[in-house]
Amino acid sequence: MSLRDRLVARIRAAGPITLAEYMRDCLTDPDFGYYVTRDPLGRGGDFVTAPEISQMFGELIGLALAQSWLDQGAPAPFTLAEPGPGRGTLMADILRATRRVPGFPDAARLHLVEVSPALRSSQAQTLSEHAPTWVDSLSALPDGPLWLVANEFFDALPVRQFVRGHTGWSERLVAETDGELVQGFGAEVAQPALAGRLEDTKPGDVVELCPEAPTLMAEIATRIARHGGAALVIDYGGWRSLGDTVQAVRAHKRADILADPGSADLTAHVDFEALARAARAAGAAVTRMTPQGVFLERLGITDRARMLAQVDPKVAAAHRRLTHPEEMGNLFKVMGIHPPEASPVPGLAT
Ligand code: SAH
């Protein structure tokens, strides 16, 4: 049995499912989920992320987090956490860059939030010296000071999608016809969760809602507001969701999201406004959403690239890829979370 067969049987028995339910199964089903069954990153994988492009990304983020830790009086111990750590590359670069920050390595208790057994074992190899603790969800992180980085984590969470009509919203669904998965739409009804979107949308517009994002952000922001710490959320997206941004990627190419469920990466743009609102509601301060290119330039990526270029000629291309507005520099955004009484993470401003 394949995930497609199982979904078809389920839809036949109980009716169409939401796009979010579909994405959830495709990505993290314990038997067939895309992330659960493979390592999608790097050579021979489906997509490449910033830390896999260059060590500079993690080094600069490590130093920014360590500076934030020093600014808040170097609390010890503290939780150093990453949800969705992929192959552990970003965290390895963070830990290497901060090795000589006095007190930081000894005070850090490394926690990784990961659903994928395949990626957990890859993280275990990369980070073996740092004795990581794995947890299944952000709610299982210890209560206490927390420094956290999430790169391309929130874009992997399922979204619901709604098309505005004249009297309400129709939800995009996944249905089945003759054993094939097809796109469907629910009846047009009022959506209280989208009440705030009536003024800035018109009939025909598409809006996405990530049901898990605010809850997960609240887990992070509550700890930071109460015990100190900071978080960096780095992802592709923008301020306030508008339009269909759900995409499937297989072998570095766009694919049909309904074809061969579980075999392609499915993502949606991150709605930073929704994250900011959840963080503020939990009592934390939120920085301005800043383009990744601007953030990395402020942290000194040009100097670092010049230094590395003496030993690695490929570094100029990586620098461009991470920061140029036509590459990742503008599409990817960075937002910081910190306690209201503390200063923002370097490179960001409120
Ligand atoms: N941050 C890494 C990997 C990004 S890919 C990098 O920048 O290279 C997304 C990561 O999130 C993977 O590690 C995936 O297994 C994990 N993931 C996806 N959905 C998750 C969920 N619901 N809970 C925890 N981890 C999840």
Side-chain angles (χ1 to χ4, degrees):
M1 187 157 208
S2 66
L3 180 55
R4 198 187 70 93
D5 296 340
R6 220 179 64 192
L7 285 164
V8 166
R10 170 172 164 204
I11 293 168
R12 270 202 188 134
I17 57 174
T18 65
L19 185 60
E21 290 171 293
Y22 176 74
M23 284 179 78
R24 167 55 69 224
D25 276 17
C26 288
L27 292 174
T28 55
D29 178 87
D31 301 316
F32 299 109
Y34 175 75
Y35 284 116
V36 178
T37 53
R38 76 199 76 207
D39 172 358
L41 292 145
R43 256 180 253 283
D46 289 309
F47 59 94
V48 178
T49 56
E52 302 294 337
I53 291 171
S54 169
Q55 67 188 71
M56 295 186 290
F57 184 78
E59 289 170 349
L60 294 168
I61 285 170
L63 294 173
L65 291 177
Q67 185 59 54
S68 159
W69 176 75
L70 291 169
D71 289 346
Q72 290 184 40
F78 72 96
T79 304
L80 178 62
E82 184 179 3
R87 300 168 139 189
T89 309
L90 171 56
M91 191 47 79
D93 292 338
I94 289 174
L95 290 164
R96 193 185 57 255
T98 54
R99 217 169 28 187
R100 291 200 181 81
V101 176
F104 190 88
D106 287 338
R109 303 283 178 275
L110 182 57
H111 283 73
L112 306 173
V113 186
E114 178 57 72
V115 277
S116 165
L119 288 171
R120 277 191 189 199
S121 73
S122 159
Q123 292 151 21
Q125 278 181 10
T126 318
L127 298 166
S128 56
E129 306 154 48
H130 303 283
T133 301
W134 281 271
V135 292
D136 293 327
S137 77
L138 284 161
S139 60
L141 289 179
D143 256 340
L146 169 68
W147 273 265
L148 176 144
V149 60
N151 185 60
E152 293 211 44
F153 169 70
F154 283 97
D155 70 5
L157 300 177
V159 296
R160 296 172 69 185
Q161 221 181 51
F162 300 89
V163 185
R164 176 143 178 214
H166 288 279
T167 58
W169 302 85
S170 312
E171 181 155 15
R172 183 171 172 192
L173 302 173
V174 176
E176 120 357 89
T177 309
D178 301 330
E180 296 297 328
L181 294 172
V182 294
Q183 173 167 291
F185 287 95
E188 197 173 311
V189 291
Q191 287 293 345
L194 295 176
R197 300 306 308 274
L198 289 172
E199 66 224 49
D200 71 328
T201 57
K202 53 183 190 320
D205 282 349
V206 174
V207 166
E208 292 167 351
L209 261 188
C210 179
E212 291 169 48
T215 321
L216 297 180
M217 180 43 90
E219 294 286 354
I220 299 169
T222 305
R223 285 172 175 78
I224 290 173
R226 209 177 276 162
H227 307 290
L232 287 174
V233 175
I234 308 159
D235 228 309
Y236 77 138
W239 195 257
R240 189 171 290 194
S241 133
L242 187 64
D244 170 10
T245 73
V246 175
Q247 62 171 38
V249 168
R250 192 185 297 114
H252 304 271
K253 289 200 188 72
R254 289 286 282 269
D256 176 353
I257 69 164
L258 296 180
D260 202 2
S263 74
D265 186 34
L266 297 181
T267 59
H269 281 203
V270 170
D271 179 353
F272 281 89
E273 184 189 40
L275 292 178
R277 194 173 281 159
R280 286 199 187 99
V286 179
T287 72
R288 243 175 283 163
M289 180 183 82
T290 303
Q292 172 173 301
V294 172
F295 173 69
L296 293 175
E297 291 296 350
R298 284 181 186 157
L299 295 181
I301 195 169
T302 301
D303 285 346
R304 184 70 184 130
R306 254 188 224 125
M307 227 172 96
L308 288 172
Q310 295 167 3
V311 289
D312 177 6
K314 289 197 296 292
V315 113
H319 177 202
R320 185 189 149 88
R321 213 162 148 202
L322 292 174
T323 59
H324 197 280
E326 279 162 23
E327 307 241 9
M328 296 175 81
N330 223 9
L331 177 61
F332 281 74
K333 311 292 197 308
V334 187
M335 196 172 78
I337 315 293
H338 55 279
E341 66 280 6
S343 41
V345 175
L348 298 172
T350 47

